[in-house]
Amino acid sequence: MPFLRRIELDRTRLGDGEARVRDYPFDIPAIRRLDRLAFDADVTFFVGANGSGKSTLLEAIGVSCGFSIVGGRDLVIAKEKDDTSLADLLRLSWTPKVSGGFFFRAETFDTFADYIDELAKDPFVGTSAYAPYEGRSLHERSHGQGFLTFFRNRLGRKGLYLLDEPESALSPQNQLALMRILWEQASAGQAQFIVATHSPILMAYPNARILQFDEEGIAPVAYEDTEHYRLTKDFLNNRERYFRMLFSEDEEAD
Ligand SMILES: Nc1ncnc2c1ncn2[C@@H]1O[C@H](COP(=O)(O)OP(=O)(O)O)[C@@H](O)[C@H]1O
Ligand SMILES: [Mg+2]
């Protein structure tokens, strides 16, 4: 069962709402239209076009939870601390409240690996910095292997885990390995995951809730109705048709 059941945007604290909606993040339709969002599955996916607001919301949830951001020594928590930041306007409803968890941002995982390397150079920390990562630097593996090592070893605590595009360095086979890790943690009642993803493999996770971000807001969508599923399937079945379309001369040019 999920721990975080619902988030609500407290608009009463938005102040001069009209002015605010012109600025980030309220200029994003999915954020502007956000009222309340229920989490009713152990695994929730955020899907939608680039720029539709997935990372923005995921990060705000992470900041609201007080999580550290895996992806750099400067915790993003310090970034936006005015009273009306999105994170401050979110009300989170838990049953039960858990304090474990983190926000994982694939984009900046290298910075995180650098940080662990620097910790390991600190005489007071030493190689114990590598203890949670099978005893060696996360850089001494491929990017994808580093991701998997991280997930295998850092999901032990009961918690809410926010993952932003975790598939980005993973081969299809390792996306399945990640799916297995999510399943182990979720079915043991140890973890709730909210995952922003573009991976048609990952979002197939059984009984997951998929939330689509678009101009209309944020709404549940069936797996088979996602663009990721439909386009990938159609492309794999009809490659030549796509190539004819993609590589044709621009008709208007001649
Ligand atoms: N710190 C920021 N300041 C201003 N605009 C931002 C900032 N971060 C993201 N944006 C903009 O907000 C929109 C949504 O971004 P993001 O949440 O990262 O989308 P997604 O994760 O769905 O691709 C994008 O148009 C992006 O350019
Ligand atoms: Mg993003």
Side-chain angles (χ1 to χ4, degrees):
M1 293 304 284
F3 308 125
L4 176 64
R5 302 301 176 115
R6 196 171 64 237
I7 59 172
E8 279 172 275
L9 185 63
D10 181 2
R11 293 183 178 280
T12 59
R13 294 179 52 215
L14 196 52
D16 182 3
E18 285 309 308
R20 288 300 301 276
V21 298
R22 287 195 293 271
D23 299 328
Y24 177 79
F26 298 100
D27 59 336
I28 305 168
I31 304 295
R32 187 167 62 238
R33 290 165 175 255
L34 178 64
D35 180 21
R36 55 162 57 191
L37 204 55
F39 297 102
D40 48 16
D42 292 333
V43 180
T44 302
F45 292 108
F46 286 176
V47 307
N50 292 122
S52 58
K54 305 177 299 295
S55 297
T56 298
L57 185 58
L58 204 58
E59 185 176 311
I61 296 172
V63 173
S64 269
C65 294
F67 287 164
S68 56
I69 311 290
V70 175
R73 67 165 69 240
D74 300 319
L75 303 184
V76 180
I77 291 169
K79 200 177 77 180
E80 37 168 0
K81 253 307 174 196
D82 60 295
D83 291 346
T84 56
S85 72
L86 179 56
D88 273 318
L89 298 178
L90 289 182
R91 276 206 236 117
L92 280 54
S93 310
W94 303 81
T95 32
K97 173 83 175 82
V98 291
S99 53
F102 54 72
F103 173 92
F104 173 90
R105 177 188 286 135
E107 275 176 355
T108 47
F109 184 73
D110 276 347
T111 322
F112 175 76
D114 290 345
Y115 172 55
I116 301 296
D117 281 352
E118 276 187 42
L119 271 185
K121 286 184 208 143
D122 182 328
F124 293 104
V125 182
T127 51
S128 70
Y130 296 136
Y133 310 107
E134 300 169 3
R136 63 202 167 94
S137 168
L138 287 163
H139 282 307
E140 289 177 29
R141 282 163 265 225
S142 78
H143 205 203
Q145 289 165 331
F147 274 33
L148 273 192
T149 305
F150 179 86
F151 292 127
R152 279 207 195 92
N153 294 285
R154 286 297 305 276
L155 294 174
R157 240 181 113 196
K158 195 170 214 176
L160 169 66
Y161 296 95
L162 310 171
L163 314 180
D164 199 357
E165 299 188 17
E167 76 275 12
S168 62
L170 299 178
S171 66
Q173 184 66 52
N174 278 340
Q175 293 181 35
L176 296 179
L178 175 60
M179 200 189 265
R180 161 84 197 190
I181 293 171
L182 300 188
W183 175 80
E184 281 168 359
Q185 297 297 321
S187 55
Q190 277 290 101
Q192 175 183 0
F193 295 97
I194 305 177
V195 186
T197 188
H198 294 294
S199 164
I201 292 180
L202 209 53
M203 71 180 77
Y205 186 95
N207 302 319
R209 174 66 92 178
I210 305 178
L211 298 174
Q212 159 101 24
F213 285 49
D214 60 26
E215 294 292 317
E216 305 299 317
I218 306 173
V221 60
Y223 175 60
E224 292 81 1
D225 291 334
T226 60
E227 185 195 40
H228 310 73
Y229 171 86
R230 284 194 286 163
L231 198 144
T232 306
K233 186 176 162 110
D234 197 46
F235 176 79
L236 294 176
N237 288 332
N238 304 286
R239 281 204 312 280
E240 293 305 327
R241 181 158 60 76
Y242 279 83
F243 294 150
R244 279 196 300 276
M245 228 153 50
L246 286 170
F247 307 145
S248 67
E249 298 297 328
D250 184 1
E251 285 173 11
E252 281 167 350
D254 49 32

